[in-house]
Amino acid sequence: MGLILEQNTQKKVTGSMENINLLIKGSFLFLVGQSLVFYQINGQFFWETAKKYPVMMSLLGVPISFVYIYATKYTVEAFDGSLWPQRLIGFAVGILSFSFLTYYHLGEPITLKTGVTLLLAFIIVLIQIFY
C-alpha cells in the first residue's frame, strides 16, 4: 500500500514538472508570436520597408500562425486540456510584449493607466497559474 501511494505521489510531482515545462514552452511561444505580430502590423510606423510592402508583411501571418498553434497546444496541455487559462495567458503576454515594444520602438511611455493594465495582466497570469 505504501509503495503504491509513493508511486502515485511521484507521478504527481513528475506530472506537475512536466506541466510547468509545457507552460514555459507555451508562454515563450506566445511571447514570440505576440512580438512577431507587433512587428507585422506596427512595423509600418518605424520601418519604411514594412510601409512600402504590406503584402509581404501579411505573408508573415502563415509562419506566425504556426507559432500560435504550438503555443496553444503546449499551454492547453499544461492545464490538462482547459482552454481558458491559455487564452488569458496569451492575452497577458501580449499586453506585456506590446508595452515593451511600443516603448522601445516608438518611445511611448508607460503611463499610470498602462502601468495599472500591466499589473492587472500580471495578476491574471498569476491567478491562472496558482489558483
Side-chain angles (χ1 to χ4, degrees):
M1 177 78 168
L3 180 61
I4 293 171
L5 183 59
E6 190 174 312
Q7 287 174 341
N8 287 343
T9 304
Q10 185 62 31
K11 274 185 175 177
K12 286 181 183 176
V13 171
T14 304
S16 70
M17 245 345 247
E18 183 179 321
N19 287 359
I20 290 170
N21 287 337
L22 289 168
L23 177 62
I24 290 169
K25 275 189 205 176
S27 296
F28 175 74
L29 288 175
F30 272 126
L31 180 64
V32 170
Q34 293 284 4
S35 298
L36 291 173
V37 167
F38 176 87
Y39 289 111
Q40 181 190 27
I41 62 176
N42 296 306
Q44 63 184 317
F45 302 117
F46 50 88
W47 285 339
E48 195 58 40
T49 303
K51 184 186 284 186
K52 192 174 178 181
Y53 301 105
V55 173
M56 180 186 75
M57 296 304 291
S58 69
L59 293 176
L60 293 173
V62 174
I64 292 170
S65 293
F66 281 104
V67 173
Y68 279 118
I69 288 169
Y70 283 101
T72 300
K73 175 186 186 300
Y74 293 140
T75 314
V76 168
E77 286 177 12
F79 287 98
D80 299 321
S82 183
L83 287 173
W84 270 110
Q86 70 80 27
R87 179 64 190 111
L88 294 171
I89 288 172
F91 162 76
V93 169
I95 293 291
L96 295 172
S97 66
F98 182 84
S99 299
F100 174 76
L101 292 171
T102 302
Y103 175 75
Y104 181 76
H105 287 291
L106 301 171
E108 290 187 25
I110 295 178
T111 63
L112 178 61
K113 180 172 72 171
T114 304
V116 169
T117 304
L118 290 171
L119 178 63
L120 291 172
F122 182 69
I123 290 170
I124 287 170
V125 171
L126 292 178
I127 289 169
Q128 290 303 311
I129 293 172
F130 296 113
Y131 184 67

